[in-house]
Amino acid sequence: DIDRSSYPHFFLKEISESSLSIKRTLRGKYRISVTDPSSPRVSFNLGKDMVPETVCNGLRNGDIRKIIVIGHGTAAVAGQAVADALSHYLKDTPVNIMSRVASELSGFGLKEDLTDTLIIPITQSGTTTDTNRAVAMARERGAQIISIVNRRQSDITTKSHGVFYTSDGRDIEMSVASTKAFYAQIVAGQVLGLFFAQILGSRTDNDIARALTNLESAPQLMDRIFEHRDSIAASVKATAGKKYWAIVGSGPNKAAADEIRIKLSELCYKTISSDIVENKKHIDLSAEPLILVCASGNPDSVLEDVVKDAAIFRAHKAAVIRNRLSNELTLRMLSRLSILDMIADAALHRMINQFYSLFNTHRQNDAFTELSSRTIVDLLLLLKYTAGRLPLRDFYQDFKNEKGLFSPFELLDVTLGKAIDELARPIDAIRHQAKTVTVGTSRKEKELAGIVFDLMDSLDFSAKNLTHRDILTINRIQPAIAAVRGYTIYDISGLDEQGNPSTNSMIAVHARGGVA
């Protein structure tokens, strides 16, 4: 037990022995007789020390109407998987099946009379205080107890009517989070479920034999996965740099998702969310988390939807942030605000800078491999233009081929939509998912006009050659200048020999008797 063999650490050793633990758990528990290939017969070898006669009779005559699987931590997740298996095998029977965390059962789920209830506690050590207390309280109220446990002669065995030992009852796991015990617990629960199905007649021997044969193939499948650990490690190195993680799974795969969540918490110090696949898409995924999707063994009808949801996860990068920015742009455009007013809008300015910083960080971490190089470059430039970091004259030069778009804000909204479309491949569901609001019409930007801009126009000097701050300042002081009667506006910085204004951009106000 304490020999690491050739493995660099105990955790890898324990994972490698998981298939052996399953083989030991299945060994000697049943026999499949195939005298006629079309109708095999299954004989279970679960003695009264494992499944007491009172439980068998209670199931047959209907006295046991409820089965509750309990545990804590990893054992509780195994209990969830066992409850799923029992529900599948005992479908259309009057037995009600559920899984509960042991402390929740003892605190809120016990009634005074539990003679109609079978409790299946799952524990590796048999010494988990919360589980043992729930078992004691349930037994005092008349419940039948069949424990799934790894350690022989542990505390829980004295409180149980029957005990199903995983492996050989002494599968020690050295200094690691539970691995092989977890798998063995689920397999033990599957065997119990199939035995109960035979007692209740909810499954034929042919169905039961097929299910047992599938269980027998599990060790080989696990070994095959373990042999590919190098390629798995390469995948981890390529994706684990993500700051935020999430894990999803539907049906029985929800238990797999929950267990991965526990393992990541124990081994990687990652506190992450675990959810049902279809439910996760309603959560803000704009942080672009690493999403692990447990999809093994789903029926075809479910698998198709899981594939769609996985595509949505992939396409959902920054969708919520994009939607917020698009909405703000739309509101300001509908208010007919000028480019200058929008650039000077402090709230919009902060939002653009926040988006720029987030986008640039993810770009440097290779998060946008699906985006075309042009889209990435356009976004970076447009974010700088709309934040006022670059002069507007350069915008009209850089994007002179964009027809019908007259401001960097309009083009930013269109380009953001293009980026979402590129990230949304292979399906175009992201707009529905993000509830994107886009500008329905493109309006030409209001021409710069006023006493100063008119003079500049008469001098063939384009306001686009000024910085946005200069233009905004001129736009704001024009009403005051125009209100001064008797004043004329002209250029005095470069008069020609005849005293006519030159085309220099310096502007002055001339009044009677002097120059202001």
Side-chain angles (χ1 to χ4, degrees):
D1 290 326
I2 64 173
D3 180 11
R4 276 195 294 115
S5 185
S6 60
Y7 294 105
H9 48 75
F10 277 112
F11 188 54
L12 194 59
K13 167 186 173 289
E14 303 301 353
I15 291 177
S16 72
E17 294 177 353
S18 296
S19 59
L20 178 60
S21 187
I22 289 179
K23 290 178 182 177
R24 290 172 174 171
T25 301
L26 291 172
R27 184 175 55 197
K29 303 301 190 301
Y30 59 87
R31 182 175 60 196
I32 301 175
S33 303
V34 189
T35 54
D36 181 357
S38 62
S39 57
R41 296 181 59 82
V42 178
S43 302
F44 283 95
N45 183 33
L46 307 181
K48 295 179 181 179
D49 57 332
M50 296 179 65
V51 183
E53 194 65 31
T54 52
V55 173
C56 296
N57 292 334
L59 290 170
R60 289 191 186 98
N61 59 32
D63 289 341
I64 294 179
R65 298 189 295 272
K66 184 181 297 183
I67 299 177
I68 305 176
V69 190
I70 64 172
H72 256 267
T74 288
V77 178
Q80 178 184 333
V82 170
D84 285 338
L86 290 169
S87 298
H88 176 69
Y89 295 139
L90 304 185
K91 185 179 180 181
D92 299 327
T93 69
V95 181
N96 182 29
I97 299 160
M98 68 179 70
S99 64
R100 300 289 294 271
V101 174
S103 59
E104 290 292 291
L105 176 68
S106 62
F108 306 99
L110 295 179
K111 58 182 182 179
E112 289 303 316
D113 184 4
L114 292 177
T115 55
D116 64 345
T117 302
L118 169 63
I119 303 292
I120 303 179
I122 298 178
T123 171
Q124 196 236 4
S125 65
T127 59
T128 306
T129 302
D130 290 321
T131 302
N132 288 355
R133 180 57 183 155
V135 167
M137 294 174 68
R139 179 164 180 163
E140 291 172 357
R141 290 163 173 77
Q144 295 288 313
I145 312 294
I146 297 180
S147 296
I148 296 177
V149 60
N150 173 58
R151 184 178 165 193
R152 294 184 181 276
Q153 298 179 332
S154 57
D155 295 346
I156 201 168
T157 61
T158 63
K159 299 176 174 65
S160 306
H161 298 98
V163 180
F164 193 133
Y165 289 106
T166 57
S167 189
D168 57 7
R170 56 174 308 280
D171 235 348
I172 297 175
E173 292 186 292
M174 297 294 296
S175 306
V176 296
S178 178
T179 54
K180 56 188 179 185
F182 171 74
Y183 304 125
Q185 289 162 356
I186 293 176
V187 168
Q190 292 263 350
V191 173
L192 277 179
L194 290 169
F195 180 48
F196 294 162
Q198 188 181 65
I199 291 174
L200 293 170
S202 59
R203 288 289 185 272
T204 65
D205 270 22
N206 195 30
D207 294 333
I208 295 171
R210 188 182 304 114
L212 291 170
T213 301
N214 285 337
L215 290 177
E216 290 174 0
S217 68
Q220 289 75 30
L221 297 174
M222 296 173 73
D223 288 339
R224 187 186 306 172
I225 292 175
F226 189 74
E227 290 169 0
H228 288 84
R229 60 186 182 276
D230 290 339
S231 60
I232 295 173
S235 176
V236 171
K237 290 178 180 178
T239 58
K242 292 280 190 177
K243 183 176 182 180
Y244 302 104
W245 297 0
I247 176 71
V248 293
S250 295
N253 278 310
K254 180 56 167 60
D258 288 343
E259 182 58 18
I260 292 174
R261 181 188 68 83
I262 291 178
K263 289 296 178 281
L264 291 176
S265 174
E266 293 178 324
L267 304 171
C268 306
Y269 305 103
K270 279 283 187 181
T271 301
I272 67 174
S273 62
S274 172
D275 212 329
I276 294 170
V277 175
E278 293 80 1
N279 199 41
K280 191 67 181 177
K281 63 186 177 185
H282 297 291
I283 297 176
D284 180 6
L285 298 174
S286 60
E288 299 183 24
L290 166 63
I291 302 178
L292 305 176
V293 182
C294 298
S296 178
N298 281 315
D300 292 340
S301 59
V302 175
L303 186 60
E304 183 177 350
D305 289 328
V306 171
V307 171
K308 291 178 182 178
D309 283 311
I312 290 172
F313 296 151
R314 186 179 183 183
H316 216 300
K317 297 178 180 179
V320 175
I321 294 179
R322 190 265 164 175
N323 183 48
R324 178 184 170 205
L325 183 56
S326 179
N327 284 341
E328 295 298 327
L329 291 173
T330 301
L331 291 175
R332 286 161 175 78
M333 289 178 186
L334 293 177
S335 299
R336 297 180 178 274
L337 294 178
S338 69
I339 295 177
L340 307 173
D341 291 328
M342 292 178 70
I343 290 177
D345 188 324
L348 183 61
H349 195 267
R350 283 193 300 271
M351 191 182 307
I352 290 172
N353 282 335
Q354 177 190 12
F355 183 90
Y356 178 86
S357 177
L358 183 63
F359 177 81
N360 207 31
T361 298
H362 290 309
R363 179 186 65 83
Q364 292 171 349
N365 291 331
D366 298 324
F368 298 115
T369 56
E370 297 293 326
L371 285 182
S372 66
S373 57
R374 176 180 174 179
T375 300
I376 293 177
V377 171
D378 285 354
L379 276 176
L380 291 173
L381 279 175
L382 288 167
L383 289 167
K384 289 183 177 180
Y385 281 123
T386 53
R389 299 181 182 181
L390 297 175
L392 288 175
R393 65 174 179 271
D394 292 345
F395 165 74
Y396 294 101
Q397 180 65 31
D398 289 337
F399 297 97
K400 61 184 178 181
N401 294 325
E402 297 293 339
K403 305 300 182 182
L405 296 170
F406 302 94
S407 83
F409 292 96
E410 289 178 321
L411 188 55
L412 174 60
D413 184 67
V414 172
T415 306
L416 283 169
K418 186 187 300 183
I420 293 299
D421 289 339
E422 291 179 12
L423 290 172
R425 294 178 304 195
I427 61 171
D428 188 22
I430 189 61
R431 290 189 177 275
H432 168 71
Q433 287 302 124
K435 297 179 176 59
T436 306
V437 179
T438 57
V439 180
T441 57
S442 296
R443 294 180 175 83
K444 186 175 181 178
E445 179 66 27
K446 184 170 62 177
E447 294 290 341
L448 296 174
I451 191 168
V452 176
F453 290 121
D454 290 345
L455 173 63
M456 294 173 62
D457 187 57
S458 68
L459 299 175
D460 293 327
F461 185 88
S462 174
K464 295 176 182 177
N465 290 324
L466 301 178
T467 66
H468 78 278
R469 290 183 177 85
D470 292 338
I471 296 175
L472 188 59
T473 300
I474 293 172
N475 195 48
R476 287 176 173 173
I477 67 174
Q478 280 190 127
I481 295 174
V484 181
R485 295 183 179 181
Y487 283 60
T488 57
I489 308 298
Y490 63 92
D491 180 349
I492 65 170
S493 63
L495 298 178
D496 59 21
E497 293 179 356
Q498 288 75 34
N500 297 321
S502 70
T503 58
N504 192 285
S505 62
M506 295 298 292
I507 296 172
V509 180
H510 182 255
R512 295 191 192 96
V515 176

